[in-house]
Amino acid sequence: MIFRETALKGAYVIEPERKEDDRGFFARTWCRDEFASHGLSTTLVQCNISYNHKRGTLRGMHFQKAPHAEIKLVRCTAGAIFDVIVDLRPSSSTYTKYVSVVLSSVNRHMLYIPEGMAHGFQTLEDSTEVFYQMSHRYEGLSAGGVRWNDPQFGIAWPPDTRIIAERDQQYPDFMPEKELS
């Protein structure tokens, strides 16, 4: 696997290295030893799938608060997404900054998201599926979020007619003292 750190410290775009022949290819998408050699968490507790019927579906920006903060490894297994993370770690030099990447079934890239970041995505195609590996199981009482279009972050989402859950539309403006604590 090829690990490329993003502008947000600790967040990586990971590209599977293909071993190709006339049948197709083989590629590893998870290896505890390779992740550990890059200083990344190797704890996987839960895996989830998000299936999205329509292009323009926006999910996020979600996180879990301590003590249930989670690390995510996200991969798009069908279709394509515009994937976004926002750094909500107050001690980080990139606090409140965001990174976006396109994950697709064609490029097969993954995004490693450390604790302390909000995560969301917008589908770029109909019938898009996203696969998550997580370091902690979902804890509803620890779930939180920031608004997808909060001007504090200035995320440049792709133009589209969006389908957004009411919960995701109603997150309040970002308030640093209340996030992740």
Side-chain angles (χ1 to χ4, degrees):
M1 289 176 279
I2 301 166
F3 292 75
R4 293 188 180 96
E5 192 165 24
T6 71
L8 304 182
K9 185 159 182 58
Y12 287 80
V13 172
I14 302 167
E15 181 180 344
E17 287 186 273
R18 296 178 184 200
K19 308 291 186 206
E20 297 191 46
D21 63 24
D22 58 341
R23 299 168 295 171
F25 72 88
F26 174 87
R28 184 177 338 191
T29 61
W30 170 252
C31 176
R32 184 186 63 208
D33 295 344
E34 285 186 63
F35 274 70
S37 74
H38 286 85
L40 305 180
S41 174
T42 60
T43 302
L44 292 177
V45 173
Q46 181 173 306
C47 296
N48 300 321
I49 292 173
S50 169
Y51 179 79
N52 306 274
H53 292 289
K54 298 286 183 186
R55 172 190 175 125
T57 300
L58 193 147
R59 294 181 186 256
M61 301 291 296
H62 306 138
F63 58 82
Q64 281 200 166
K65 301 172 193 167
H68 305 292
E70 61 193 0
I71 295 166
K72 295 178 183 176
L73 181 61
V74 178
R75 184 169 175 252
C76 185
T77 55
I81 62 172
F82 179 82
D83 207 19
V84 178
I85 53 176
V86 175
D87 190 345
L88 297 180
R89 303 170 296 183
S91 62
S92 173
S93 63
T94 55
Y95 183 55
T96 72
K97 303 293 186 224
Y98 81 91
V99 163
S100 63
V101 297
V102 172
L103 303 179
S104 73
S105 59
V106 174
N107 71 22
R108 294 180 176 87
H109 293 179
M110 299 171 282
L111 184 60
Y112 178 92
I113 307 165
E115 291 179 6
M117 298 208 182
H119 171 252
F121 64 84
Q122 180 176 314
T123 59
L124 301 174
E125 298 178 13
D126 289 345
S127 301
T128 293
E129 183 177 273
V130 181
F131 180 69
Y132 296 77
Q133 294 171 268
M134 285 134 74
S135 66
H136 201 285
R137 69 183 180 90
Y138 177 75
E139 294 285 346
L141 295 176
S142 293
V146 294
R147 204 172 68 248
W148 67 277
N149 62 350
D150 190 317
Q152 171 74 36
F153 309 124
I155 299 169
W157 294 96
D160 210 336
T161 301
R162 292 187 182 86
I163 302 163
I164 308 171
E166 187 174 329
R167 174 187 73 152
D168 291 349
Q169 292 183 53
Q170 294 183 359
Y171 284 124
D173 285 340
F174 177 68
M175 298 164 70
E177 66 279 0
K178 292 189 177 184
E179 306 307 328
L180 298 180
S181 56

